[in-house]
């Protein structure tokens, strides 16, 4: 089983949207997926229980002392666990980072998103040092608007801060917003293509276990 944590201390950066994409696509590919929702707003839990058309196990857990044991308990029956975190660095977020194989840090097109992405990458670095192991982490640009000054600016700020960033950019598309009530993750058009590229990159980073890859 592998663990993918989605974290940034910026609220509304696209964490839950990214979690839906990963869970929905992997579920469509036949993988057994679970999510731990560590956000007090329980947005992802509500989505899985009321909107999602995908087979996803969901657990809502805010207590930082229970995050790692809960993830462990999902180990036997699932290929991938995605941890969605709150829009502020909580103790639960630190444990979610600590147990992850891959951490994804969504960044939309605002200065606040960059400031919080930098802070979150520093938090991950610090957790890596504390645990004496490297935690693979990448910024994922989302809500991206190609050929605009704001997106060019965001990319240059990310480069200036030397943050490792995924090649795939998730554009600002209605298909990603609609997912919140249709419950279906896009498989066609530009949104579908971006999801596929995104998942390929996560796989290359080690976010999907070998055995599950062969089965999918
Ligand atoms: N790529 C995208 N294209 C269009 N809309 C998007 C995209 N990503 C996120 N959004 C929209 O931005 C809003 C915030 O996204 P989301 O809920 O995923 O952020 P979050 O980081 O989980 O927020 P919170 O910190 O409150 O948990 C939502 O309305 C969502 O539909
Ligand atoms: Mg959220």
């Amino acid at each position: 089983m592998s663990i993918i944590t989605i974290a940034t201390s910026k609220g509304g950066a696209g964490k839950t949207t990214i979690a839906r994409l990963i869970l929905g696509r992997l579920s469509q590919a036949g993988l057994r997926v679970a999510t731990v929702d560590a956000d007090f707003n329980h947005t992802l839990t509500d989505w899985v229980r009321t909107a999602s058309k995908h087979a996803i196990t969901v657990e809502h857990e805010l207590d930082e002392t229970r995050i790692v044991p809960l993830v462990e308990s999902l180990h036997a029956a699932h290929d991938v666990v995605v941890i969605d975190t709150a829009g502020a660095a909580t103790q639960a977020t630190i444990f979610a980072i600590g147990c992850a194989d891959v951490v994804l840090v969504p960044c939309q097109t605002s200065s606040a998103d960059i400031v919080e992405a930098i802070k979150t990458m520093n938090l991950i670095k610090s957790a890596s040092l504390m645990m004496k192991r490297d935690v693979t982490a990448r910024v994922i640009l989302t809500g991206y608007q190609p050929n605009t000054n704001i997106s060019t600016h965001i990319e240059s700020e990310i480069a200036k801060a030397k943050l490792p960033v995924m090649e795939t950019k998730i554009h600002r598309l209605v298909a990603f917003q609609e997912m919140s009530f249709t419950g279906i993750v896009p498989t066609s058009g530009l949104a579908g293509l971006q999801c596929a590229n995104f998942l390929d990159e996560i796989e290359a980073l080690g976010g999907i276990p070998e055995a599950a890859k062969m089965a999918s």
Side-chain angles (χ1 to χ4, degrees):
M1 187 189 75
S2 65
I3 303 159
I4 303 168
T5 290
I6 304 165
T8 174
S9 37
K10 170 74 174 61
K15 293 178 289 294
T16 302
T17 302
I18 293 292
R20 288 179 189 133
L21 293 186
I22 298 171
L23 290 162
R25 288 298 288 229
L26 293 183
S27 168
Q28 279 163 356
L31 271 67
R32 300 166 306 162
V33 292
T35 185
V36 173
D37 181 358
D39 185 358
F40 28 79
N41 289 333
H42 50 78
T43 315
L44 187 59
T45 304
D46 294 346
W47 184 73
V48 171
R49 293 195 177 144
T50 63
S52 165
K53 305 290 187 289
H54 306 279
I56 300 166
T57 304
V58 63
E59 301 282 353
H60 186 233
E61 184 57 68
L62 302 178
D63 181 342
E64 68 273 13
T65 67
R66 292 184 43 81
I67 296 283
V68 179
L70 177 58
V71 169
E72 275 303 304
S73 76
L74 294 165
H75 187 278
H78 299 91
D79 299 307
V80 176
V81 175
V82 174
I83 312 179
D84 187 21
T85 62
T90 65
Q91 298 253 39
T93 301
I94 297 165
F95 283 90
I97 289 169
C99 68
D101 294 294
V102 174
V103 182
L104 301 176
V105 179
C107 181
Q108 291 215 44
T109 47
S110 80
S111 330
D113 277 84
I114 294 178
V115 168
E116 298 306 322
I118 293 171
K119 273 195 215 163
T120 306
M121 290 302 272
N122 285 337
L123 182 70
I124 297 164
K125 230 183 266 174
S126 197
S128 293
L129 284 171
M130 181 175 71
M131 297 184 299
K132 297 185 169 53
R133 77 160 179 104
D134 277 334
V135 176
T136 301
R138 294 288 183 277
V139 170
I140 170 76
L141 293 175
T142 186
Y144 188 83
Q145 293 155 294
N147 309 313
T148 60
N149 290 335
I150 181 70
S151 285
T152 307
H153 174 71
I154 296 289
E155 281 183 283
S156 77
E157 289 295 305
I158 295 277
K160 215 189 291 172
K162 295 190 169 60
L163 301 185
V165 61
M166 292 183 90
E167 211 170 293
T168 307
K169 299 172 184 88
I170 306 292
H171 289 192
R172 183 173 299 280
L173 296 174
V174 169
F176 295 129
Q177 289 170 297
E178 286 177 343
M179 213 168 52
S180 66
F181 58 87
T182 62
I184 302 167
V185 172
T187 48
S188 59
L190 184 56
L193 180 66
Q194 287 177 2
C195 289
N197 293 341
F198 180 46
L199 264 296
D200 283 349
E201 263 194 86
I202 292 175
E203 187 170 321
L205 289 173
I208 298 168
E210 285 296 325
K213 273 193 259 181
M214 287 189 295
S216 66

PDB file of all heavy atoms in Angstrom, residues 40-58:
ATOM      1  N   PHE A  40     -11.336  19.457   9.459  1.00  0.00           N
ATOM      2  CA  PHE A  40     -12.538  19.601  10.295  1.00  0.00           C
ATOM      3  C   PHE A  40     -13.787  19.929   9.476  1.00  0.00           C
ATOM      4  O   PHE A  40     -14.901  19.717   9.914  1.00  0.00           O
ATOM      5  CB  PHE A  40     -12.339  20.636  11.423  1.00  0.00           C
ATOM      6  CG  PHE A  40     -11.353  21.709  11.110  1.00  0.00           C
ATOM      7  CD1 PHE A  40     -11.715  22.788  10.308  1.00  0.00           C
ATOM      8  CD2 PHE A  40     -10.051  21.626  11.582  1.00  0.00           C
ATOM      9  CE1 PHE A  40     -10.781  23.770   9.994  1.00  0.00           C
ATOM     10  CE2 PHE A  40      -9.108  22.600  11.258  1.00  0.00           C
ATOM     11  CZ  PHE A  40      -9.471  23.677  10.467  1.00  0.00           C
ATOM     12  N   ASN A  41     -13.604  20.442   8.248  1.00  0.00           N
ATOM     13  CA  ASN A  41     -14.770  20.731   7.394  1.00  0.00           C
ATOM     14  C   ASN A  41     -15.360  19.479   6.728  1.00  0.00           C
ATOM     15  O   ASN A  41     -16.396  19.573   6.068  1.00  0.00           O
ATOM     16  CB  ASN A  41     -14.402  21.730   6.291  1.00  0.00           C
ATOM     17  CG  ASN A  41     -14.175  23.118   6.847  1.00  0.00           C
ATOM     18  OD1 ASN A  41     -14.730  23.467   7.876  1.00  0.00           O
ATOM     19  ND2 ASN A  41     -13.355  23.901   6.178  1.00  0.00           N
ATOM     20  N   HIS A  42     -14.666  18.357   6.846  1.00  0.00           N
ATOM     21  CA  HIS A  42     -15.066  17.049   6.275  1.00  0.00           C
ATOM     22  C   HIS A  42     -15.678  17.127   4.861  1.00  0.00           C
ATOM     23  O   HIS A  42     -16.639  16.414   4.546  1.00  0.00           O
ATOM     24  CB  HIS A  42     -15.970  16.261   7.238  1.00  0.00           C
ATOM     25  CG  HIS A  42     -17.146  17.001   7.794  1.00  0.00           C
ATOM     26  ND1 HIS A  42     -18.279  17.218   7.076  1.00  0.00           N
ATOM     27  CD2 HIS A  42     -17.350  17.595   8.992  1.00  0.00           C
ATOM     28  CE1 HIS A  42     -19.138  17.902   7.804  1.00  0.00           C
ATOM     29  NE2 HIS A  42     -18.588  18.161   8.971  1.00  0.00           N
ATOM     30  N   THR A  43     -15.121  18.002   4.013  1.00  0.00           N
ATOM     31  CA  THR A  43     -15.643  18.167   2.641  1.00  0.00           C
ATOM     32  C   THR A  43     -15.497  16.875   1.833  1.00  0.00           C
ATOM     33  O   THR A  43     -16.409  16.470   1.106  1.00  0.00           O
ATOM     34  CB  THR A  43     -14.873  19.301   1.922  1.00  0.00           C
ATOM     35  OG1 THR A  43     -14.756  20.394   2.808  1.00  0.00           O
ATOM     36  CG2 THR A  43     -15.548  19.728   0.641  1.00  0.00           C
ATOM     37  N   LEU A  44     -14.335  16.236   1.968  1.00  0.00           N
ATOM     38  CA  LEU A  44     -14.087  15.025   1.180  1.00  0.00           C
ATOM     39  C   LEU A  44     -14.970  13.868   1.671  1.00  0.00           C
ATOM     40  O   LEU A  44     -15.495  13.098   0.860  1.00  0.00           O
ATOM     41  CB  LEU A  44     -12.596  14.649   1.248  1.00  0.00           C
ATOM     42  CG  LEU A  44     -12.164  13.513   0.337  1.00  0.00           C
ATOM     43  CD1 LEU A  44     -12.449  13.810  -1.132  1.00  0.00           C
ATOM     44  CD2 LEU A  44     -10.685  13.210   0.520  1.00  0.00           C
ATOM     45  N   THR A  45     -15.145  13.790   2.981  1.00  0.00           N
ATOM     46  CA  THR A  45     -16.008  12.738   3.554  1.00  0.00           C
ATOM     47  C   THR A  45     -17.422  12.889   2.991  1.00  0.00           C
ATOM     48  O   THR A  45     -18.039  11.915   2.547  1.00  0.00           O
ATOM     49  CB  THR A  45     -16.049  12.872   5.099  1.00  0.00           C
ATOM     50  OG1 THR A  45     -14.713  12.833   5.578  1.00  0.00           O
ATOM     51  CG2 THR A  45     -16.861  11.757   5.734  1.00  0.00           C
ATOM     52  N   ASP A  46     -17.926  14.114   2.984  1.00  0.00           N
ATOM     53  CA  ASP A  46     -19.278  14.367   2.461  1.00  0.00           C
ATOM     54  C   ASP A  46     -19.360  13.970   0.993  1.00  0.00           C
ATOM     55  O   ASP A  46     -20.347  13.379   0.547  1.00  0.00           O
ATOM     56  CB  ASP A  46     -19.645  15.851   2.607  1.00  0.00           C
ATOM     57  CG  ASP A  46     -19.757  16.261   4.066  1.00  0.00           C
ATOM     58  OD1 ASP A  46     -19.813  15.373   4.934  1.00  0.00           O
ATOM     59  OD2 ASP A  46     -19.775  17.483   4.335  1.00  0.00           O
ATOM     60  N   TRP A  47     -18.308  14.296   0.240  1.00  0.00           N
ATOM     61  CA  TRP A  47     -18.303  13.986  -1.201  1.00  0.00           C
ATOM     62  C   TRP A  47     -18.352  12.478  -1.426  1.00  0.00           C
ATOM     63  O   TRP A  47     -19.148  11.992  -2.232  1.00  0.00           O
ATOM     64  CB  TRP A  47     -17.052  14.574  -1.861  1.00  0.00           C
ATOM     65  CG  TRP A  47     -17.000  14.381  -3.348  1.00  0.00           C
ATOM     66  CD1 TRP A  47     -17.742  15.032  -4.286  1.00  0.00           C
ATOM     67  CD2 TRP A  47     -16.161  13.464  -4.062  1.00  0.00           C
ATOM     68  NE1 TRP A  47     -17.399  14.573  -5.557  1.00  0.00           N
ATOM     69  CE2 TRP A  47     -16.441  13.623  -5.446  1.00  0.00           C
ATOM     70  CE3 TRP A  47     -15.198  12.539  -3.676  1.00  0.00           C
ATOM     71  CZ2 TRP A  47     -15.781  12.885  -6.433  1.00  0.00           C
ATOM     72  CZ3 TRP A  47     -14.549  11.806  -4.661  1.00  0.00           C
ATOM     73  CH2 TRP A  47     -14.845  11.981  -6.019  1.00  0.00           C
ATOM     74  N   VAL A  48     -17.520  11.748  -0.680  1.00  0.00           N
ATOM     75  CA  VAL A  48     -17.488  10.279  -0.858  1.00  0.00           C
ATOM     76  C   VAL A  48     -18.854   9.688  -0.479  1.00  0.00           C
ATOM     77  O   VAL A  48     -19.378   8.820  -1.168  1.00  0.00           O
ATOM     78  CB  VAL A  48     -16.360   9.639  -0.005  1.00  0.00           C
ATOM     79  CG1 VAL A  48     -16.477   8.117  -0.009  1.00  0.00           C
ATOM     80  CG2 VAL A  48     -14.987  10.065  -0.536  1.00  0.00           C
ATOM     81  N   ARG A  49     -19.433  10.200   0.604  1.00  0.00           N
ATOM     82  CA  ARG A  49     -20.687   9.600   1.107  1.00  0.00           C
ATOM     83  C   ARG A  49     -21.915  10.002   0.308  1.00  0.00           C
ATOM     84  O   ARG A  49     -22.861   9.235   0.216  1.00  0.00           O
ATOM     85  CB  ARG A  49     -20.887   9.964   2.577  1.00  0.00           C
ATOM     86  CG  ARG A  49     -19.816   9.289   3.430  1.00  0.00           C
ATOM     87  CD  ARG A  49     -20.162   9.295   4.897  1.00  0.00           C
ATOM     88  NE  ARG A  49     -19.118   8.566   5.631  1.00  0.00           N
ATOM     89  CZ  ARG A  49     -18.689   8.883   6.830  1.00  0.00           C
ATOM     90  NH1 ARG A  49     -19.218   9.922   7.465  1.00  0.00           N
ATOM     91  NH2 ARG A  49     -17.754   8.164   7.422  1.00  0.00           N
ATOM     92  N   THR A  50     -21.893  11.192  -0.291  1.00  0.00           N
ATOM     93  CA  THR A  50     -23.137  11.642  -0.925  1.00  0.00           C
ATOM     94  C   THR A  50     -23.051  11.852  -2.432  1.00  0.00           C
ATOM     95  O   THR A  50     -24.054  11.736  -3.116  1.00  0.00           O
ATOM     96  CB  THR A  50     -23.635  12.966  -0.294  1.00  0.00           C
ATOM     97  OG1 THR A  50     -22.668  13.972  -0.544  1.00  0.00           O
ATOM     98  CG2 THR A  50     -23.848  12.844   1.200  1.00  0.00           C
ATOM     99  N   ALA A  51     -21.868  12.172  -2.963  1.00  0.00           N
ATOM    100  CA  ALA A  51     -21.786  12.506  -4.393  1.00  0.00           C
ATOM    101  C   ALA A  51     -20.993  11.498  -5.213  1.00  0.00           C
ATOM    102  O   ALA A  51     -21.350  11.195  -6.351  1.00  0.00           O
ATOM    103  CB  ALA A  51     -21.163  13.901  -4.563  1.00  0.00           C
ATOM    104  N   SER A  52     -19.922  10.983  -4.657  1.00  0.00           N
ATOM    105  CA  SER A  52     -18.991  10.176  -5.445  1.00  0.00           C
ATOM    106  C   SER A  52     -19.639   8.930  -6.037  1.00  0.00           C
ATOM    107  O   SER A  52     -20.430   8.261  -5.377  1.00  0.00           O
ATOM    108  CB  SER A  52     -17.815   9.753  -4.572  1.00  0.00           C
ATOM    109  OG  SER A  52     -17.113   8.719  -5.205  1.00  0.00           O
ATOM    110  N   LYS A  53     -19.265   8.659  -7.299  1.00  0.00           N
ATOM    111  CA  LYS A  53     -19.754   7.444  -7.957  1.00  0.00           C
ATOM    112  C   LYS A  53     -18.647   6.386  -7.958  1.00  0.00           C
ATOM    113  O   LYS A  53     -18.723   5.398  -8.671  1.00  0.00           O
ATOM    114  CB  LYS A  53     -20.163   7.755  -9.410  1.00  0.00           C
ATOM    115  CG  LYS A  53     -21.182   8.884  -9.563  1.00  0.00           C
ATOM    116  CD  LYS A  53     -22.573   8.502  -9.062  1.00  0.00           C
ATOM    117  CE  LYS A  53     -23.613   9.555  -9.376  1.00  0.00           C
ATOM    118  NZ  LYS A  53     -23.497  10.795  -8.607  1.00  0.00           N
ATOM    119  N   HIS A  54     -17.601   6.616  -7.192  1.00  0.00           N
ATOM    120  CA  HIS A  54     -16.456   5.710  -7.162  1.00  0.00           C
ATOM    121  C   HIS A  54     -16.460   4.903  -5.862  1.00  0.00           C
ATOM    122  O   HIS A  54     -17.012   5.338  -4.858  1.00  0.00           O
ATOM    123  CB  HIS A  54     -15.152   6.508  -7.269  1.00  0.00           C
ATOM    124  CG  HIS A  54     -15.111   7.417  -8.458  1.00  0.00           C
ATOM    125  ND1 HIS A  54     -14.786   6.988  -9.728  1.00  0.00           N
ATOM    126  CD2 HIS A  54     -15.375   8.745  -8.583  1.00  0.00           C
ATOM    127  CE1 HIS A  54     -14.846   8.009 -10.572  1.00  0.00           C
ATOM    128  NE2 HIS A  54     -15.198   9.085  -9.899  1.00  0.00           N
ATOM    129  N   ALA A  55     -15.813   3.733  -5.902  1.00  0.00           N
ATOM    130  CA  ALA A  55     -15.720   2.890  -4.699  1.00  0.00           C
ATOM    131  C   ALA A  55     -14.540   3.364  -3.858  1.00  0.00           C
ATOM    132  O   ALA A  55     -13.384   3.094  -4.182  1.00  0.00           O
ATOM    133  CB  ALA A  55     -15.521   1.431  -5.108  1.00  0.00           C
ATOM    134  N   ILE A  56     -14.855   4.110  -2.812  1.00  0.00           N
ATOM    135  CA  ILE A  56     -13.797   4.701  -1.986  1.00  0.00           C
ATOM    136  C   ILE A  56     -14.162   4.485  -0.509  1.00  0.00           C
ATOM    137  O   ILE A  56     -15.285   4.779  -0.094  1.00  0.00           O
ATOM    138  CB  ILE A  56     -13.680   6.229  -2.265  1.00  0.00           C
ATOM    139  CG1 ILE A  56     -13.353   6.494  -3.736  1.00  0.00           C
ATOM    140  CG2 ILE A  56     -12.639   6.877  -1.339  1.00  0.00           C
ATOM    141  CD1 ILE A  56     -13.554   7.966  -4.172  1.00  0.00           C
ATOM    142  N   THR A  57     -13.197   3.989   0.256  1.00  0.00           N
ATOM    143  CA  THR A  57     -13.399   3.897   1.707  1.00  0.00           C
ATOM    144  C   THR A  57     -13.009   5.245   2.301  1.00  0.00           C
ATOM    145  O   THR A  57     -11.955   5.780   1.957  1.00  0.00           O
ATOM    146  CB  THR A  57     -12.462   2.820   2.310  1.00  0.00           C
ATOM    147  OG1 THR A  57     -12.695   1.592   1.645  1.00  0.00           O
ATOM    148  CG2 THR A  57     -12.658   2.669   3.813  1.00  0.00           C
ATOM    149  N   VAL A  58     -13.846   5.784   3.189  1.00  0.00           N
ATOM    150  CA  VAL A  58     -13.499   7.087   3.775  1.00  0.00           C
ATOM    151  C   VAL A  58     -13.556   7.036   5.297  1.00  0.00           C
ATOM    152  O   VAL A  58     -14.457   6.438   5.881  1.00  0.00           O
ATOM    153  CB  VAL A  58     -14.391   8.230   3.208  1.00  0.00           C
ATOM    154  CG1 VAL A  58     -15.850   8.046   3.549  1.00  0.00           C
ATOM    155  CG2 VAL A  58     -13.901   9.596   3.676  1.00  0.00           C
TER     156      VAL A  58
END
